[in-house]
Amino acid sequence: MMRGIRRCCPNCGAHTLFEGYTKVAPVCTNCGLELGKFRADDAPPYFTIFVVGHIVVGAALAVEQNFHPDLWVHAALWGPLTIGLSLALLPLFKGAVIGVQWAMGIRG
Ligand SMILES: [Zn+2]
């Protein structure tokens, strides 16, 4: 799981898990593991939305309760934070899910 979070092959630890942002490489060029057989499907977006939602909604409520800013401040803060956190966390969760699938022998 930790190798997947670091975007590395779960079998050998080489930095070969993704070809692009979140596109899984078909085969690890270091050890030959067929990475394309691991299908994370909807799990990474689910975990990303779950975590980002809790962070952003909690922060928005805390800021509103303590500072009562104008609505434009909320719009300026939470939209970019939501997008940035989602883009940052999605590959981490996808790598972690693939790492768990590899460890448990889940394919296809
Ligand atoms: Zn490998």
Side-chain angles (χ1 to χ4, degrees):
M1 192 168 151
M2 292 308 294
R3 286 180 177 173
I5 289 173
R6 292 190 310 260
R7 305 171 60 101
C8 296
C9 170
N11 189 45
C12 68
H15 198 77
T16 57
L17 182 57
F18 296 125
E19 283 182 337
Y21 173 60
T22 55
K23 183 174 184 203
V24 178
V27 176
C28 174
T29 56
N30 191 47
C31 70
L33 177 67
E34 294 184 60
L35 296 166
K37 288 189 175 180
F38 297 101
R39 299 198 43 164
D41 291 336
D42 294 339
Y46 171 80
F47 291 125
T48 301
I49 292 167
F50 182 81
V51 170
V52 170
H54 279 81
I55 292 170
V56 171
V57 170
L61 289 174
V63 166
E64 178 59 30
Q65 289 261 321
N66 293 315
F67 304 108
H68 309 292
D70 292 335
L71 283 178
W72 70 266
V73 175
H74 282 294
L77 282 176
W78 309 124
L81 180 66
T82 301
I83 293 169
L85 277 174
S86 298
L87 292 174
L89 292 178
L90 184 59
L92 307 182
F93 282 121
K94 187 164 186 174
V97 167
I98 290 173
V100 169
Q101 288 177 327
W102 172 80
M104 298 180 76
I106 301 169
R107 309 283 189 279

